[in-house]
Amino acid sequence: MNTENIKHIFQSQFDYRIYCNEIVRNIFGCSDINARPELLDTSAEGDRSHYIGRMSDAEGRELGFFYTRVAEGGDVRRKRVGLRKLIAPYVKYDVDAAIAVFDDGRHWRLSYICDMKEGATSAKRFSYVLGDQQGQYNTPVHRLLDLGKLVSHLCLKNIFDAFSVETLSDEFFDEYHRHYDRIVAELGRQGNTGARYHDYVKKMMGRIVFLHFLQKKGWLNGNPYFLSELFFKQSFNRKSDFLEQVLEPLFFGIFNTEAKKRKALFAQRGWDISLLDEWETLPYLNGGLFEEDEVDKLNIKLPASLFEDLFNFLASYNFTVDENDPDDAEIGIDPEMLGKIFESLLEDNKAKGAFYTPKEIVHYMCKESLIAYLSSIVDGELADAVRQFVEHHELPEVLKPCREAIDTALREVKICDPAIGSGAFPMGLLNELWRCREAIEGDSMERVELKKEIIENNVYGVDIEKGAIDIARLRFWLSIVVDAEKPEPLPNFDYKFMQGNSLIESYKGIDLSRISNRLRGGQSKSPQLLLGLDSDLSRKNLQRLLRDYFSVTDHRQKASMRQAVNDEVKRLIEDFIGGTASDLAKLDPSANQDFFLWHTWFKDIFDKGGFDIVIGNPPYGAKVSEQEKNHYKRCYYSASCHSENKLKGSTDTFVIFIGL
């Protein structure tokens, strides 16, 4: 078996006999194979599972091989079925681990399933999604070929490593960082140095990575290789000025501009009008990621060789739009890895308190926080049932009388991470909330609409670093993209995940927590907030306006609303402190490193008593300060996790703040 042979197998539709001979027998060394795939009888309905064979590894542990043809209409590229249900047919074979194929007739998922003897509830699955004719599949090809070299020495640990997401992550980020350093060094040779040029490179590369997720989704002309082809098919002149002539028109003229306004903008900016014909079906994305800001106005030119290397590097990896969870992961670059990108590129990250939190810990903390919150609304004797519900997303019989109360609590919970970083904890809770609500409500709402509702009504975040907020917003946009059937303008997260110093709500020593009393709303009798807009928006209070802003798709209206809101809040600050401060004029009250206006931006939440769950992870080994506790004026719940596998032996305490 050589590289080209195994790559061809992975690029093709699944062939049972070729797979059994070339992968099961020649790679894994299993000779006890059931060569009669009765499962292929297409008269059967539903998922059809088939036992292929089994073998003992070098340490005497049992490895089983299985095949499942998924039901008509299924798509193995998406994880729509719970892991326990997927592997239930295999557990009865009493093996320690399994290699399983899930096949929908177009694509197939090659999975390693471990911890099976502990039962379906403990099993974990790690998968490669295959079957794309143009897929490069470098990672699975090389890893399986390495397994084939072990022959009689093969053990389950080797197989686990071959399906390791973490190993792929480390490889990817080392290479990503190398490309980042090369571009920064090139700018330095041109005399462009300093933090703003570093920020520019981070944002440019972040946009390119985001588009790799979108092309995987099929939103870029239906072409999963849109970006690499975009570069390699350009003329020499365009390649030599690819950033100015191609990427900027794509970023700002297409993804940030409604279709009917693109031609005028291209003419105004002097961009090549012929590109509009090639990009006619590309979507207007809204949301803010492709808005042109000050750093985008820098005069930058990069050599074609840098882009050629960058696109070749990114094309060699599988991008998956699903956020992996620790128990069921696709081997690829998922949105969660953007958090690692942020952490790895943030200069002096330890001094800034930026720490990447392992996925297992995020998963554990989010479940624990939701369990504690829901347990507070039911009888204490039902706490175990609540845990069962949150952990398995199935409502136990004993909780059914509380169904309405639990559903209401899930709909109304207010969650905040005051040091959001790249968004790991709010994203984890978003995933827990939609799973729990679907368990109660069924499919009464499309999942993409359910996620939008949860993001709009339930989750919030603040961070002192703008780069962290950019990445957090990006991850939440991707969480919507993954379930959207067709491209549509994305929500605006400007007032959901905000930059600010979450420990300070004062300016020049003056407490600003009470400026919201000057806004109409709640019990305040102060004058109405006037926004100066020529519409009924001028009659709405701040919180109503911020809610409307979430869904606005008209670019000009959005900019006007944002400017009006920020100007009005700045005026309130000036009035409150008794005059205009010269340095305040340059400060954006909704995005700065000096303070954060909790009681203004989130006034409706504080009017009702504050957040229900405040979740965060202080830097490893750090203790929560009294200043933090006093600032939020909440009761706190500490979840200590010592020496458990979830923490990989760590003895640090991870704190979940839960307002009770």
Side-chain angles (χ1 to χ4, degrees):
M1 178 67 70
N2 59 40
T3 300
E4 288 307 311
N5 286 344
I6 194 169
K7 185 173 183 179
H8 177 71
I9 293 171
F10 287 169
Q11 290 175 329
S12 305
Q13 289 184 358
F14 183 79
D15 184 298
Y16 183 89
R17 289 179 175 83
I18 291 177
Y19 169 77
C20 287
N21 187 59
E22 302 295 344
I23 304 297
V24 178
R25 188 188 308 275
N26 293 343
I27 295 292
F28 290 97
C30 177
S31 57
D32 179 19
I33 295 176
N34 180 1
R36 298 181 58 195
E38 298 88 352
L39 178 66
L40 300 185
D41 177 7
T42 56
S43 63
E45 296 182 357
D47 292 351
R48 305 185 298 283
S49 296
H50 175 70
Y51 169 71
I52 295 175
R54 66 194 296 154
M55 60 175 282
S56 297
D57 76 349
E59 297 175 343
R61 286 176 293 182
E62 294 291 304
L63 176 67
F65 294 86
F66 303 91
Y67 170 80
T68 293
R69 178 60 185 262
V70 304
E72 187 71 26
D75 186 346
V76 299
R77 293 173 298 179
R78 299 295 309 282
K79 296 178 296 187
R80 289 291 186 182
V81 181
L83 178 59
R84 286 187 298 151
K85 292 179 180 178
L86 270 177
I87 69 169
Y90 311 151
V91 175
K92 64 183 179 182
Y93 288 91
D94 194 32
V95 291
D96 296 281
I99 297 293
V101 167
F102 300 88
D103 174 28
D104 64 17
R106 298 174 303 279
H107 299 88
W108 48 293
R109 186 180 282 260
L110 179 65
S111 301
Y112 175 63
I113 305 169
C114 56
D115 299 334
M116 291 182 64
K117 280 195 173 177
E118 297 177 30
T121 57
S122 299
K124 298 176 176 58
R125 181 177 68 153
F126 307 93
S127 307
Y128 293 105
V129 176
L130 309 168
D132 188 334
Q133 239 178 358
Q134 299 182 65
Q136 294 195 30
Y137 301 129
N138 291 346
T139 301
V141 166
H142 291 123
R143 289 190 181 181
L144 263 68
L145 283 174
D146 287 342
L147 284 182
K149 297 173 185 176
L150 296 174
V151 196
S152 59
H153 302 294
L154 182 68
C155 64
L156 297 189
K157 173 65 166 60
N158 305 131
I159 301 174
F160 180 85
D161 290 342
F163 285 80
S164 168
V165 177
E166 289 304 314
T167 302
L168 181 76
S169 300
D170 294 340
E171 294 169 358
F172 179 80
F173 291 118
D174 287 345
E175 186 70 3
Y176 189 95
H177 209 303
R178 186 179 71 82
H179 286 276
Y180 167 80
D181 289 340
R182 286 185 64 197
I183 297 174
V184 168
E186 174 60 31
L187 292 178
R189 282 191 289 272
Q190 299 175 14
N192 301 320
T193 60
R196 65 175 184 159
Y197 287 98
H198 290 202
D199 289 342
Y200 177 81
V201 177
K202 292 172 192 173
K203 193 163 190 176
M204 179 192 72
M205 291 180 68
R207 286 165 169 160
I208 291 172
V209 168
F210 181 80
L211 293 180
H212 275 75
F213 288 110
L214 292 198
Q215 72 180 11
K216 178 69 177 230
K217 180 70 177 177
W219 284 14
L220 304 186
N221 287 347
N223 183 358
Y225 308 99
F226 174 86
L227 286 166
S228 58
E229 290 182 7
L230 181 67
F231 175 79
F232 289 106
K233 288 184 176 181
Q234 298 298 333
S235 66
F236 175 80
N237 287 338
R238 277 192 186 166
K239 283 183 180 178
S240 64
D241 195 11
F242 188 70
L243 182 61
E244 186 86 13
Q245 293 193 36
V246 182
L247 282 185
E248 289 188 355
L250 182 68
F251 291 165
F252 312 133
I254 299 295
F255 297 125
N256 195 50
T257 305
E258 297 149 278
K260 62 184 178 181
K261 299 177 181 178
R262 290 172 178 174
K263 189 172 183 179
L265 180 62
F266 268 63
Q268 177 190 336
R269 299 289 294 268
W271 292 329
D272 188 347
I273 295 291
S274 69
L275 290 171
L276 287 175
D277 294 331
E278 301 175 34
W279 298 342
E280 184 179 6
T281 62
L282 295 183
Y284 164 56
L285 294 177
N286 192 31
L289 177 62
F290 294 99
E291 284 186 357
E292 192 171 13
D293 57 26
E294 288 302 313
V295 72
D296 291 310
K297 296 174 184 176
L298 297 171
N299 185 20
I300 289 176
K301 187 171 183 177
L302 296 171
S305 60
L306 291 180
F307 285 111
E308 180 176 356
D309 291 346
L310 178 63
F311 286 123
N312 277 331
F313 153 62
L314 294 173
S316 69
Y317 283 87
N318 169 48
F319 282 77
T320 170
V321 287
D322 275 309
E323 286 258 350
N324 284 328
D325 65 55
D327 296 334
D328 194 358
E330 181 178 334
I331 315 301
I333 310 305
D334 81 328
E336 188 267 343
M337 291 189 183
L338 295 168
K340 270 194 172 180
I341 290 176
F342 161 73
E343 189 272 337
S344 68
L345 295 182
L346 183 62
E347 289 82 9
D348 301 322
N349 55 355
K350 290 185 179 180
K352 293 181 177 180
F355 290 81
Y356 173 74
T357 308
K359 185 178 299 185
E360 294 86 350
I361 295 170
V362 172
H363 191 62
Y364 174 80
M365 289 175 65
C366 289
K367 282 187 178 294
E368 289 300 311
S369 64
L370 195 55
I371 288 167
Y373 167 69
L374 292 178
S375 296
S376 70
I377 66 164
V378 299
D379 189 288
E381 295 180 358
L382 298 176
D384 288 343
V386 168
R387 177 173 293 278
Q388 182 181 343
F389 167 60
V390 174
E391 290 184 345
H392 303 307
H393 308 118
E394 294 177 359
L395 195 68
E397 193 67 31
V398 70
L399 282 182
K400 289 186 177 177
C402 308
R403 177 190 295 268
E404 187 174 339
I406 292 173
D407 192 34
T408 299
L410 291 170
R411 288 171 176 270
E412 296 181 353
V413 63
K414 301 298 182 183
I415 299 164
C416 184
D417 186 340
I420 191 173
S422 56
F425 293 114
M427 177 58 65
L429 278 161
L430 165 65
N431 289 330
E432 293 302 326
L433 285 173
W434 69 254
R435 288 186 176 103
C436 287
R437 284 189 55 182
E438 281 191 349
I440 291 179
E441 302 168 14
D443 57 359
S444 60
M445 182 185 295
E446 291 289 334
R447 186 175 295 174
V448 65
E449 297 303 320
L450 177 58
K451 283 185 174 180
K452 285 181 184 177
E453 181 182 293
I454 292 170
I455 296 170
E456 181 175 10
N457 296 327
N458 305 121
V459 294
Y460 303 79
V462 183
D463 201 278
I464 198 168
E465 285 294 324
K466 182 180 183 300
I469 295 299
D470 288 341
I471 295 295
R473 291 174 181 171
L474 193 155
R475 287 179 69 180
F476 277 88
W477 283 318
L478 285 173
S479 74
I480 292 172
V481 167
V482 67
D483 287 300
E485 294 299 326
K486 60 182 181 179
E488 58 183 35
L490 298 169
N492 305 303
F493 294 152
D494 303 57
Y495 301 105
K496 292 295 303 180
F497 310 109
M498 303 179 68
Q499 183 191 8
N501 186 334
S502 61
L503 293 179
I504 298 175
E505 196 171 9
S506 63
Y507 181 76
K508 294 186 178 297
I510 299 175
D511 181 11
L512 298 179
S513 63
R514 293 179 291 115
I515 66 168
S516 60
N517 293 338
R518 296 171 180 261
L519 302 173
R520 183 179 294 275
Q523 299 178 355
S524 172
K525 299 180 180 179
S526 55
Q528 183 177 7
L529 171 66
L530 299 177
L531 296 169
L533 298 177
D534 296 328
S535 71
D536 65 346
L537 291 175
S538 63
R539 295 189 290 276
K540 297 177 181 177
N541 66 29
L542 180 62
Q543 267 57 51
R544 176 71 182 275
L545 187 64
L546 297 182
R547 285 194 293 272
D548 289 344
Y549 181 86
F550 182 87
S551 302
V552 169
T553 59
D554 181 272
H555 197 64
R556 183 174 298 178
Q557 183 184 12
K558 183 175 74 171
S560 297
M561 291 172 69
R562 184 169 56 196
Q563 186 66 49
V565 167
N566 287 351
D567 285 350
E568 181 63 18
V569 171
K570 190 181 294 186
R571 185 192 65 77
L572 288 170
I573 296 173
E574 291 174 345
D575 289 350
F576 196 77
I577 65 177
T580 302
S582 58
D583 51 349
L584 183 60
K586 302 176 183 177
L587 195 67
D588 183 345
S590 67
N592 65 82
Q593 294 189 340
D594 297 320
F595 56 79
F596 184 73
L597 302 174
W598 286 100
H599 293 82
T600 300
W601 301 121
F602 304 148
K603 174 178 167 58
D604 54 342
I605 296 172
F606 280 91
D607 282 349
K608 295 178 180 179
F611 290 97
D612 301 296
I613 300 175
V614 181
I615 182 168
N617 178 17
Y620 293 107
K623 292 184 178 180
V624 182
S625 69
E626 287 302 317
Q627 184 180 10
E628 287 177 285
K629 293 182 181 180
N630 291 334
H631 177 75
Y632 296 109
K633 298 177 178 147
R634 308 293 293 160
C635 297
Y636 294 106
Y637 165 83
S638 293
S640 299
C641 323
H642 294 294
S643 67
E644 293 198 343
N645 290 333
K646 302 179 185 73
L647 295 181
K648 299 181 179 178
S650 169
T651 56
D652 295 312
T653 298
F654 295 84
V655 180
I656 304 170
F657 307 100
I658 302 179
L660 302 176

